[in-house]
């Protein structure tokens, strides 16, 4: 611990970053994805049915964070103020002003003043049109994107922890533990996930956490094999044996010596877990076994597109959103995989003598 | 340049980017002659051979004149090269385990070059392969034709490689460390075979090696390289008798010398093992009766006294390392092990871990035994922090500095990572990691075999020095008798997991009683 941070990044890490940055497609995909995700994190500021800020009779209000009763703005009922209601809108406009988000609809706002019957085509009011219940498609896409990514993030993180834990224990200890663990994971992997979800949907109201929990029970299985193989290989390396000879307990050896090496193979797998999670959530929503009705979900948008072929903006929006998101993730994954691949050659890069020359001068003697 | 010069280089240089790895190399080899290209690792000997034959990646800049007989090699097109390589020039590489394709039979591997270059039919090629196998003195050539590489031993594979290299009767044979990966007794046979084939076919042999012992016996002329520059060249006698450059002298002096520290009279036993045995169960087939387990170490007794070095000698596969791992309780074994008068063979878990500080180990591979992702300070202090959790950071870093000082490393290297050090320095870090816990016994598993001779010598001196200062006991495992002689008081010779011979070091090396030991002594070429 004394000096870990003094010398900064290790040259291996620096080389990996250089390879990743050298891959222009992966770099752009990462930036775009981060940008989209950042935008969607601020979804409440972009698409909402409440103003961000308003001044009414010389007092300041922040409806985004505080719920005000309608009586506050000259209404008669002590219910939550509906700022889209004509009466409230006019009242505030007469006695002050409101700052609205660029899209004045949230994902669940029903627009009752549609120029066409729902699903209505794209207009200036609804840039991507509305769905068959009169909700703004663009707002739903922004919220849906955020929900998908967060779902995938949590699921991936959870699978990573479980998969590394189980795979690491099997690989490091080997023998009987490995044998029993392998048979167990094989049986576990044989359970039909989809049926379990469908049965669950009929027992409880499936919400985000239920879905996460059930998916988490199975999604770590793919990682186990990789991590186990890495640990099996690493446990006979000399520095691991040296650590055992020093008398270090197993958990410390696994954490400090074996895990950092296993992480390389594992991290390469992560982007693909991530896309898998998004696809699964979308598929479940499409089939109607996913998130509760009304949630902003891309799968539900796909289903609406299928049911309303006369409204092509639904299907086209869903298609473009999903394919863009998944393609970006696959490109990022490819870049990561190349960056972690020791055989990857830095040739197309500008001759950065420090990083690119060092391996080249040594390699020919070893390889031939 | 005389008429029978087969291969010559003149002002030959290789550079990668702006780094010159070989500079102004000039040499020539005549028919039937062996030229040894000698140097330590990184001196540019392999790169020279690869560069001369156009086998380096595009990024290498090769300049200067290179000729094979009357052909100017720098003018050849890719097509011409294919005719030269494998036809007029044969290659033998260091690693017999990876230089054969595991998916092809022996007949196919050797036959391929015959069909390619001589246009033989597959039947004709098979005939010729059989002849070649006889020539390289492989037993049972008819069976070996259809054998797979994994069925052969390292020495046999190297013979197959040689058969492949001479298949087209090349004029020049390039042998790049052909015996480094082999046991010493096998080394001698392979080199004798190469000499015989050279005579038979009138080839020129370029012999690349780091081992001066082999050069002295097997080469006619020698060219010494250091950091890509020729230090000296001439006939073997000349160079060995009257070395002109300081570097050659240093190389020749690098034979490990000196003898172990005298044992104190009051020596008491530190480590004792009785009926120690290591065996592995073989895979059992369904319904078959269980086969007898494989005995990696057959029951043996041994003891190490305080301040003493016990050498364990044997070829690869003789069970040396397994024995050491069993004594360290890193591998399961049966029998009694007593350390400092206390049985440790029945200790478990925490009890055992607490005592591990007393017996430490240094491994063979200086590149594999240090965690690549940890700085030196963490590597060295890891055991300390675990065994003495109440030490504060200040005390820990003081002890680290002291341990590094003791093994002759500067104190400012604590923040650096292992890859920034040379092999010898890494081995010193490994020693520092071991001695920081103040052990009484140090197991040294081939600590010098991956190092250059000059570095070896320094490490041996360091180890002897530590022993004298701290009264350490060593269990010293090696196949190199010259190193063992410089370190060990007593020696145990192992073969196939059984003790062949044991006794005081002088006695075993001077008057070996078994044939096996005699062969090892002969092969080591000790100048006693």
């Amino acid at each position: 611990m004394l000096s870990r941070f003094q010398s900064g990044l290790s040259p291996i890490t620096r080389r990996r970053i250089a390879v990743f940055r050298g891959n222009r497609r992966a770099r752009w995909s990462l930036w775009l994805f981060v940008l989209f995700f950042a935008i969607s994190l601020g979804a409440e500021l972009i698409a909402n049915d409440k103003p961000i800020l308003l001044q009414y009779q010389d007092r300041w209000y922040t409806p985004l964070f505080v719920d005000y009763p309608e009586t506050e703005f000259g209404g008669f009922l002590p219910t939550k103020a509906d700022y889209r209601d004509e009466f409230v809108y006019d009242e505030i406009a007469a006695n002050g002003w409101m700052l609205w988000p660029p899209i004045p609809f949230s994902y669940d706002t029903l627009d009752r003043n549609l120029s066409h019957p729902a699903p209505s085509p794209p207009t200036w009011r609804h840039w991507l049109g509305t769905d068959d219940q009169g909700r703004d498609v663009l707002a739903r896409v922004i919220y849906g994107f955020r929900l998908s990514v967060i779902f995938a993030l949590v699921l991936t993180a959870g699978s990573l922890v479980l998969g590394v834990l189980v795979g690491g224990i099997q690989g490091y200890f080997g023998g009987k533990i490995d044998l029993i663990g392998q048979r167990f994971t094989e049986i576990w992997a044989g359970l039909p996930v989809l049926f379990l979800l469908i049965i669950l949907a009929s027992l409880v109201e499936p919400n985000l956490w239920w879905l996460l929990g059930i998916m988490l029970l199975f999604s770590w299985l793919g990682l186990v094999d990789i991590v186990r193989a890495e640990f099996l290989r690493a446990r006979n390396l000399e520095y691991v044996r040296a650590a055992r000879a020093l008398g270090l307990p197993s958990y410390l050896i696994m954490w400090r010596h074996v895990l950092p090496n296993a992480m390389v193979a594992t991290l390469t797998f992560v982007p693909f877990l991530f896309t898998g999670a998004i696809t699964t959530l979308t598929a479940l929503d499409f089939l109607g076994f996913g998130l509760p009705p009304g949630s902003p979900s891309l799968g539900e948008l796909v289903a609406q597109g299928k049911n309303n072929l006369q409204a092509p903006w639904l299907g086209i929006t869903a298609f473009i959103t999903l394919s863009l998101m998944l393609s970006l993730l696959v490109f990022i994954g490819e870049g990561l995989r190349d960056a972690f691949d020791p055989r990857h050659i830095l040739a197309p890069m500008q001759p950065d003598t420090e990083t690119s020359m060092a391996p080249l001068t040594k390699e020919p003697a070893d390889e031939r | 340049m005389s008429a029978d010069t087969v291969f010559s280089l003149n002002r030959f240089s290789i550079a990668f980017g702006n780094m010159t790895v070989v500079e102004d190399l000039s040499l020539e080899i005549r028919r039937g002659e062996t030229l040894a290209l000698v140097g330590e690792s990184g001196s540019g000997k392999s790169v020279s051979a690869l560069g001369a034959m156009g086998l380096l990646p595009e990024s290498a800049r090769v300049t200067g004149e290179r000729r094979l007989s009357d052909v100017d090699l720098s003018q050849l097109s890719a097509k011409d090269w294919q005719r030269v390589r494998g036809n007029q020039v044969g290659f033998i590489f260091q690693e017999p385990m990876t230089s054969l394709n595991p998916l092809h039979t022996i007949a196919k591997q050797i036959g391929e070059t015959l069909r390619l270059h001589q246009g033989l039919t597959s039947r004709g090629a098979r005939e010729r392969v059989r002849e070649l196998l006889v020539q390289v003195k492989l037993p049972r050539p008819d069976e070996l034709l259809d054998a797979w590489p994994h069925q052969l031993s390292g020495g046999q594979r190297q013979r197959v490689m040689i058969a492949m290299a001479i298949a087209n009767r090349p004029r020049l044979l390039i042998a790049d460390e052909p015996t480094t990966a082999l046991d010493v007794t096998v080394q001698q046979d392979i080199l004798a075979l190469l000499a015989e084939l050279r005579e038979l076919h009138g080839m020129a042999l370029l012999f690349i090696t780091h081992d001066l012992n082999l050069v002295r016996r097997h080469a006619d002329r020698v060219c010494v390289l250091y950091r890509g520059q020729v230090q000296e060249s001439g006939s073997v006698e000349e160079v060995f008798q009257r070395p002109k450059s300081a570097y050659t002298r240093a190389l020749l002096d690098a034979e490990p010398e000196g003898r172990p520290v005298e044992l104190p009279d009051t020596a008491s036993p530190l480590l004792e093992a009785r009926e120690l045995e290591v065996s592995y169960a073989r895979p059992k087939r369904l319904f078959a009766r269980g086969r007898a387990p494989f005995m990696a170490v057959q029951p043996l007794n041994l003891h190490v006294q305080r301040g003493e070095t016990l050498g364990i000698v044997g070829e690869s596969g003789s069970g040396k390392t397994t024995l050491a791992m069993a004594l360290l309780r890193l591998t399961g074994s049966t029998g009694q092990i007593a350390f400092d008068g206390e049985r440790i063979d029945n200790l478990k878990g925490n009890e055992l871990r607490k005592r591990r500080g007393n017996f430490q180990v240094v491994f063979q591979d200086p590149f594999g035994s240090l965690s690549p992702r940890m700085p030196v300070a963490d590597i060295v202090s890891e055991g300390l922090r675990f065994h003495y959790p109440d030490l504060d950071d200040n005390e820990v870093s003081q002890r680290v500095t002291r341990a590094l000082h003791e093994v002759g490393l500067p104190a400012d290297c604590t923040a650096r990572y292992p890859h920034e050090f040379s092999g010898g320095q890494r081995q010193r870090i490994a020693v520092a990691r071991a001695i920081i816990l103040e052990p009484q016994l140090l197991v040294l598993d081939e600590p010098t075999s991956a190092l250059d001779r000059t570095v070896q010598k320094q490490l041996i001196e360091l180890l002897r020095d530590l022993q004298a200062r701290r009264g350490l006991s060593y269990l010293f495992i090696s196949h190199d008798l010259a190193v063992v002689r410089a370190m060990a008081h007593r020696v145990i010779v192992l073969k196939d997991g059984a003790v062949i011979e044991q006794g005081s070091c002088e006695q075993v090396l001077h008057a070996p009683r078994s044939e096996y030991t005699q062969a090892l002594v002969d092969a080591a070429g000790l100048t006693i």
Side-chain angles (χ1 to χ4, degrees), chain A residues 87-280:
Chain A
F87 173 79
V88 177
Y89 190 94
D90 291 343
E91 175 69 24
I92 295 175
N95 294 296
W97 53 270
M98 286 186 277
L99 175 65
W100 281 89
I103 304 163
F105 306 96
S106 187
Y107 64 89
D108 53 357
T109 315
L110 303 182
D111 189 357
R112 291 192 181 83
N113 306 328
L114 286 176
S115 49
H116 304 266
S120 75
T123 55
W124 283 113
R125 186 177 167 84
H126 298 286
W127 295 350
L128 292 179
T130 67
D131 64 6
D132 58 6
Q133 293 172 43
R135 297 174 300 195
D136 187 75
V137 170
L138 184 54
R140 288 184 72 76
V141 164
I142 293 173
Y143 281 89
F145 182 87
R146 178 171 75 174
L147 192 71
S148 299
V149 173
I150 288 176
F151 177 84
L153 269 180
V154 178
L155 186 62
T156 310
S159 321
L160 207 59
V161 172
L162 271 177
V164 168
L165 200 70
V166 176
I169 287 172
Q170 284 183 20
Y172 184 79
F173 293 104
K176 281 217 173 66
I177 294 180
D178 186 30
L179 193 76
I180 296 169
Q182 280 287 290
R183 297 300 85 78
F184 172 74
T185 47
E186 274 159 22
I187 293 169
W188 195 245
L191 290 179
V193 191
L194 207 58
F195 290 149
L196 269 179
L197 281 167
I198 294 171
I199 294 167
L200 178 90
S202 64
L203 290 180
V204 293
E205 168 96 340
N207 59 22
L208 187 69
W209 302 110
W210 272 109
L211 281 179
L212 255 180
I214 298 275
M215 297 289 302
L216 198 53
L217 284 181
F218 297 95
S219 64
W220 54 273
L221 289 164
L223 271 174
V224 169
D225 294 333
I226 299 173
V227 179
R228 170 179 165 268
E230 286 294 314
F231 272 64
L232 264 180
R233 188 178 63 84
R235 72 180 184 140
N236 286 323
L237 293 182
E238 282 195 342
Y239 61 82
V240 174
R241 281 207 281 179
R244 280 214 290 152
L246 278 174
L248 294 192
S250 300
Y251 70 90
L252 267 185
I253 300 178
M254 289 164 82
W255 178 252
R256 275 200 214 140
H257 296 275
V258 188
L259 187 62
N261 290 296
M263 277 327 268
V264 172
T266 315
L267 285 181
T268 323
F269 195 69
V270 162
F272 303 104
L273 258 175
F274 204 90
T275 44
I278 292 179
T279 318
T280 317

Side-chain angles (χ1 to χ4, degrees), chain B residues 153-216:
Chain B
S153 71
Q156 288 174 332
R157 287 185 212 201
Q158 204 59 311
R159 282 171 196 267
V160 172
M161 273 302 291
I162 294 174
M164 233 153 122
I166 64 166
N168 293 309
R169 300 203 181 82
R171 281 185 260 180
L172 173 68
L173 190 58
I174 298 178
D176 187 356
E177 304 260 11
T179 58
T180 309
L182 304 176
D183 283 328
V184 274
T185 48
V186 183
Q187 271 184 11
Q188 300 304 319
D189 300 343
I190 295 281
L191 289 171
L193 173 69
L194 278 177
E196 199 185 314
L197 291 170
R198 187 196 66 193
E199 295 296 319
L200 188 67
H201 297 293
M203 292 183 294
L205 180 59
L206 178 62
F207 177 38
I208 299 174
T209 185
H210 67 279
D211 193 338
L212 286 174
N213 239 329
L214 297 179
V215 174
R216 198 196 306 250

Side-chain angles (χ1 to χ4, degrees), chain A residues 1 246-247 256-257 368, chain B residues 55 353 360 368 378 382 387:
Chain A
M1 298 301 133
L246 278 174
R256 275 200 214 140
H257 296 275
R368 283 166 217 275
Chain B
L55 286 172
R353 275 207 288 275
Q360 279 300 303
D378 287 4
E382 184 164 40
H387 284 283

Side-chain angles (χ1 to χ4, degrees), chain B residues 9 38 54 65 142 144 240 243 246 251 279 355 377 390 412 447:
Chain B
L9 294 176
V38 185
E65 193 193 19
D142 292 305
L144 283 186
F240 276 77
L251 264 189
S279 58
R355 283 167 184 72
D390 42 326
D412 61 356

Side-chain angles (χ1 to χ4, degrees), chain B residues 108-124:
Chain B
K108 199 170 169 198
Q109 313 230 4
I110 308 178
E112 188 176 21
T113 145
L114 290 171
R115 283 198 301 273
L116 221 62
H117 290 293
Q118 297 184 3
L120 292 185
T121 59
S122 44
R123 178 168 305 190

Side-chain angles (χ1 to χ4, degrees), chain B residues 383-442:
Chain B
L384 199 63
R385 279 179 284 134
F386 177 72
H387 284 283
Y388 305 97
D390 42 326
L391 290 181
D392 59 14
D393 283 358
N394 212 354
E395 178 73 7
V396 168
S397 75
Q398 266 179 26
R399 290 206 194 184
V400 169
T401 317
R402 217 181 308 149
L404 288 174
H405 178 73
E406 226 172 321
V407 297
L409 286 172
D412 61 356
C413 68
T414 49
R416 286 153 68 190
Y417 285 83
H419 69 91
E420 297 172 55
F421 295 88
S422 69
Q425 286 172 322
R426 288 172 192 228
Q427 214 54 321
R428 282 166 193 263
I429 296 171
V431 174
R433 168 174 65 187
I435 62 167
I436 200 168
L437 292 170
E438 300 181 349
Q440 293 167 283
L441 173 74
L442 204 53

